[in-house]
Amino acid sequence: MAEPRLRHYLWLHFVVFIWGWTGILGKLIGMVVVPMIWSRMVLTVLILLLVMGIRRTPLRMPARDRLHLLAVGGLIALHWIFFYQTIKISTVSIAVICLSTSTFFNALLDPLISKRPIQPYELIISLVVVLAICFIFNFQPGYQLGMIYGVISAFFSAAFTTFNGKLSRRFEPLAFSVTELTGGVLLLTLFMAFDPSWFGALGSAPASDWGYLFVLASVCTALPFVASAYVLRHLPSFTVILAINLEPVYTILLARWIFGDAERMNMPFYIGTGVILLTLFFNAWAKRKSLVQSTTQSV
C-alpha cells in the first residue's frame, strides 16, 4: 500500500515541478505574447484531441453548456496574455508572485458565483497577500508596470478558477478541457485578425521558439492535466493544495538558476515572497481544518 501511495506523491510533485517551468519557457520564447499563447492553445487542443481519439472519448455536450465553456476558455486566454506579458517586461519571479493575489480575487468572486457567505479568514489571508505585493511594489523599482499586469493576470486566473469549480464536475475532463481551450483559441484568433502582423510573427519565429512551444503545450500543459486528474483520484485535496503552493518556489529557483542575475531581486522582494508563501500554506491548513470540523459536526 505504501509503495503505490509514494508513487502518487512523486507524480504530484512532478506535476507541480513541470508547472514551475511554464514561466521559464515563456521567458525563453522570443515570440510576442498573443501569437505565442495562440500557438500554445492550438497545439494543446490538437494533442488532447489526439488523446481523445486514442481513448475514443466523445466530445458531445449540450449547445448551451458548450457556449459557457467556450466563454470561460476566453478567461484563461486573457490570464495567460497578462501573465506572459508580465514575464516579458519584468521577471519570471515577479509574475509568479503577483499571481498569488488570485487568492484575494477568488475570496471575492467565489461567494458571488456560488452564492455563499464570504469567509472572514479568506478575506484576511487575501489581504495579507495583497499587502505583501504592495510592499514588494514599493521596494522593487523598475517593475511596477509588470506587477500591474501580474495582478490583472491574477484576476483572470481567479475568475477562470471560480467558474471552473462549478462547471468541471459536470463534464468528462478531456472534452471539458478541449472545449475551454478552443474558446481561448477563438478569442485570440479574433484579436489576431485586427493585427495581421501577429500572424506574420508565427511565420518568422525561429525553430527554437517552436521547440519551446511544443514542450510548453505538451509537457507543461497537456501532460500535467492528465497526470493531475490521475493524482486527484488517489490523494486528498489538502495534500494537492499544499503541493501546488510550492509552484512559485520551484519557478523562482529555476529562474534564478537559468537566468542568473536577470532574476536577482532585492531583499524586500524575498521578505514579501516569504510572507505570501506562509500565507498560502496557512490558507490550505485553514481550509483543511474547516473541512474536518464540518465533517465531524455532520457525523
Side-chain angles (χ1 to χ4, degrees), residues 12-269:
L12 171 61
H13 285 281
F14 175 67
V15 167
V16 176
F17 179 72
I18 286 178
W19 280 334
W21 281 92
T22 58
I24 306 296
L25 290 168
K27 189 80 170 181
L28 291 171
I29 296 169
M31 195 183 298
V32 291
V33 170
V34 172
M36 181 184 80
I37 303 305
W38 183 86
S39 302
R40 174 190 185 177
M41 299 186 87
V42 168
L43 287 171
T44 304
V45 167
L46 293 175
I47 291 167
L48 291 178
L49 284 174
L50 177 62
V51 174
M52 290 180 67
I54 294 172
R55 296 179 56 182
R56 297 183 181 179
T57 305
L59 192 56
R60 294 186 301 273
M61 63 180 64
R64 184 176 179 180
D65 291 333
R66 189 182 301 278
L67 288 175
H68 286 165
L69 292 177
L70 290 172
V72 173
L75 294 175
I76 194 62
L78 292 171
H79 156 61
W80 279 339
I81 286 174
F82 283 99
F83 177 74
Y84 285 104
Q85 188 62 29
T86 302
I87 291 173
K88 297 288 187 184
I89 66 174
S90 59
T91 69
V92 177
S93 301
I94 290 289
V96 295
I97 289 304
C98 288
L99 190 56
S100 303
T101 58
S102 60
T103 58
F104 172 73
F105 295 118
N106 183 258
L108 297 177
L109 291 172
D110 189 60
L112 292 175
I113 302 302
S114 303
K115 297 180 180 179
R116 66 169 176 83
I118 295 177
Q119 298 295 326
Y121 84 88
E122 289 184 347
L123 276 181
I124 292 171
I125 287 172
S126 301
L127 287 173
V128 171
V129 172
V130 171
L131 289 174
I133 291 292
C134 292
F135 176 77
I136 296 172
F137 187 91
N138 287 329
F139 290 97
Q140 189 68 53
Y143 296 123
Q144 280 80 1
L145 181 59
M147 294 183 72
I148 292 171
Y149 283 162
V151 172
I152 296 174
S153 159
F155 169 78
F156 284 118
S157 174
F160 172 76
T161 302
T162 302
F163 283 109
N164 247 14
K166 293 193 68 176
L167 293 170
S168 60
R169 303 181 187 94
R170 296 167 47 195
F171 304 100
E172 197 282 329
L174 281 172
F176 170 80
S177 293
V178 165
T179 305
E180 283 194 336
L181 289 169
T182 300
V185 170
L186 293 174
L187 178 65
L188 294 183
T189 302
L190 182 63
F191 286 174
M192 292 174 68
F194 287 98
D195 190 347
S197 66
W198 280 339
F199 285 106
L202 298 175
S204 61
S208 59
D209 274 6
W210 287 107
Y212 289 137
L213 273 168
F214 181 77
V215 173
L216 184 60
S218 58
V219 179
C220 295
T221 308
L223 175 61
F225 168 76
V226 176
S228 60
Y230 165 77
V231 165
L232 281 169
R233 296 175 184 172
H234 301 280
L235 293 177
S237 59
F238 175 67
T239 301
V240 176
I241 291 171
L242 280 178
I244 290 174
N245 287 339
L246 290 172
E247 182 187 348
V249 178
Y250 289 142
T251 303
I252 291 172
L253 291 176
L254 287 168
R256 185 72 180 86
W257 172 54
I258 293 171
F259 301 114
D261 289 342
E263 288 288 330
R264 185 188 294 275
M265 302 286 110
N266 60 23
M267 187 53 65
F269 172 84

